[in-house]
């Protein structure tokens, strides 16, 4: 088992990168590149620090729902991270580009839970029953690791490469949306920069949330009423290289726009 000293060292490296805005070396020289247990321990240290500093946990995110990305990192399952209140933005609310190190955007379906999912080995029925509504969302993924040079351990330790998220404002009930067949188009300045569908997310965004509910249940940290769950990308991620807006349109869910601004230009 990886020592606590090594876990703290990895956490400190990532925390320093976040605080200074200077990307760091991967942490796989401290923890094994495939050691997911150690990586989640690093993530837990960083999350505990943020909670102790007064940040509120508002939900969870699922990463690596694309089979292609899983193959790239040599894994066969998703990963997860924690969402904090300071990461949440409203539709079209400007986000300072300078808060991110190496941002990328991806369109997702966000689940908002109306009840806990605290049963052993949750099923699709349990997740459907617990879901109050779904929303169109844009996740801003970011990496504290220089050049996105990551293995599965690096991204898990780095809170699943989370940055921020933007939620749409048109809630829909699950029964009213075909999430598997839902098409997605992500646009920048009117140009299509990514497209996909719900089926690209582990076959169904619902299936992704079931995976998360089971993974968290095994850790004794079940999903709770009120949680926001970002269920995973519906299409390829897109780098953010300058201020501007990205608009995601999803069948049955409407649209949501992420806006990046350069506050230093004001």
């Amino acid at each position: 088992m990886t020592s606590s000293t090594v876990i703290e060292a990895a956490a400190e490296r990532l925390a320093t990168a976040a605080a200074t805005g200077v990307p760091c070396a991967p942490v796989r020289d401290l923890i094994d590149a495939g050691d997911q247990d150690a990586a989640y321990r690093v993530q837990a240290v960083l999350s505990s620090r943020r909670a102790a500093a007064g940040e509120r946990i508002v939900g969870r995110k699922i990463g690596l729902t694309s089979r292609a990305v899983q193959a790239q990192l040599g894994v066969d399952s998703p990963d997860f991270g924690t969402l904090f209140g300071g990461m949440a933005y409203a539709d079209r609310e400007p986000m300072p580009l300078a808060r991110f190190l190496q941002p990328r955007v991806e369109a997702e379906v966000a689940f908002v839970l109306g009840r806990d999912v605290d049963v052993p080995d949750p099923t699709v029925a349990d997740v459907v029953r617990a879901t109050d509504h779904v929303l169109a969302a844009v996740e801003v993924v970011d990496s504290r690791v220089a050049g996105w040079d990551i293995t599965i351990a690096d991204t898990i330790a780095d809170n699943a490469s989370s940055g921020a998220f933007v939620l749409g404002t048109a809630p829909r009930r699950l029964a009213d949306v075909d999430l598997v067949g839902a098409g997605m188009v992500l646009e920048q300045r009117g140009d299509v920069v990514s497209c996909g569908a719900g089926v690209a997310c582990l076959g169904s965004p619902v299936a992704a949330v079931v995976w998360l509910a089971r993974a968290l249940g095994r850790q004794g940290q079940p999903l709770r009423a009120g949680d926001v769950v970002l269920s995973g990308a519906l299409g390829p991620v897109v780098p953010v290289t300058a201020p501007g807006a990205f608009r995601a349109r999803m069948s049955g869910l409407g649209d949501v726009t992420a806006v990046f601004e350069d506050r230093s230009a004001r």
Side-chain angles (χ1 to χ4, degrees):
M1 183 176 183
T2 306
S3 72
S4 296
T5 300
V6 170
I7 297 298
E8 289 287 344
E12 188 59 32
R13 181 181 295 180
L14 292 167
T16 298
T20 62
V22 179
C24 64
V27 297
R28 59 181 178 269
D29 64 331
L30 299 172
I31 60 176
D32 185 83
D35 192 344
Q36 296 191 33
D37 289 338
Y40 278 116
R41 288 173 61 197
V42 176
Q43 183 186 125
V45 169
L46 292 169
S47 293
S48 294
R49 290 185 183 184
R50 295 178 71 163
E55 293 195 60
R56 182 171 66 95
I57 294 175
V58 297
R60 302 282 186 165
K61 64 151 289 183
I62 309 168
L64 306 182
T65 53
S66 163
R67 300 299 186 190
V69 176
Q70 288 179 16
Q72 180 181 354
L73 294 183
V75 296
D76 59 3
S77 69
D79 68 352
F80 64 83
T82 300
L83 302 178
F84 293 89
M87 298 165 61
Y89 287 84
D91 185 25
R92 299 180 183 275
E93 179 183 1
M95 294 178 284
L97 188 56
R99 75 165 285 176
F100 306 106
L101 281 72
Q102 306 170 95
R104 300 175 177 180
V105 292
E106 54 190 30
E108 305 192 14
V109 177
F111 288 63
V112 181
L113 303 185
R115 63 175 71 179
D116 297 348
V117 186
D118 57 357
V119 296
D121 198 23
T123 66
V124 168
D126 294 316
V127 167
V128 170
R129 190 180 303 113
T131 301
D132 185 77
H133 60 274
V134 289
L135 297 164
V138 171
E139 182 184 2
V140 184
V141 292
D142 199 8
S143 181
R144 271 50 63 177
V145 176
W148 279 89
D149 179 16
I150 57 174
T151 62
I152 185 64
D154 295 304
T155 186
I156 289 175
D158 192 22
N159 199 24
S161 301
S162 61
F165 62 98
V166 183
L167 296 180
T169 56
R172 298 285 189 271
R173 296 197 177 278
L174 274 179
D176 298 330
V177 186
D178 173 16
L179 290 185
V180 174
M184 177 281 296
V185 174
L186 184 64
E187 300 172 333
Q188 182 183 26
R189 294 189 295 272
D191 296 327
V192 175
V193 292
S194 179
C195 59
V199 69
C201 180
L202 282 190
S204 166
V206 173
V209 179
V210 171
W211 175 88
L212 175 67
R214 291 173 177 171
L216 290 173
R218 288 191 293 270
Q219 294 192 5
Q221 301 177 4
L223 290 169
R224 296 298 186 186
D227 278 352
V228 175
V229 177
L230 300 181
S231 58
L234 304 187
V237 298
V238 179
V240 180
T241 58
F246 292 84
R247 180 192 182 200
R249 295 185 288 112
M250 301 183 197
S251 303
L253 288 172
D255 62 77
V256 58
T257 300
V259 178
F260 297 88
E261 67 170 9
D262 180 5
R263 290 185 177 176
S264 65
R266 291 186 171 186

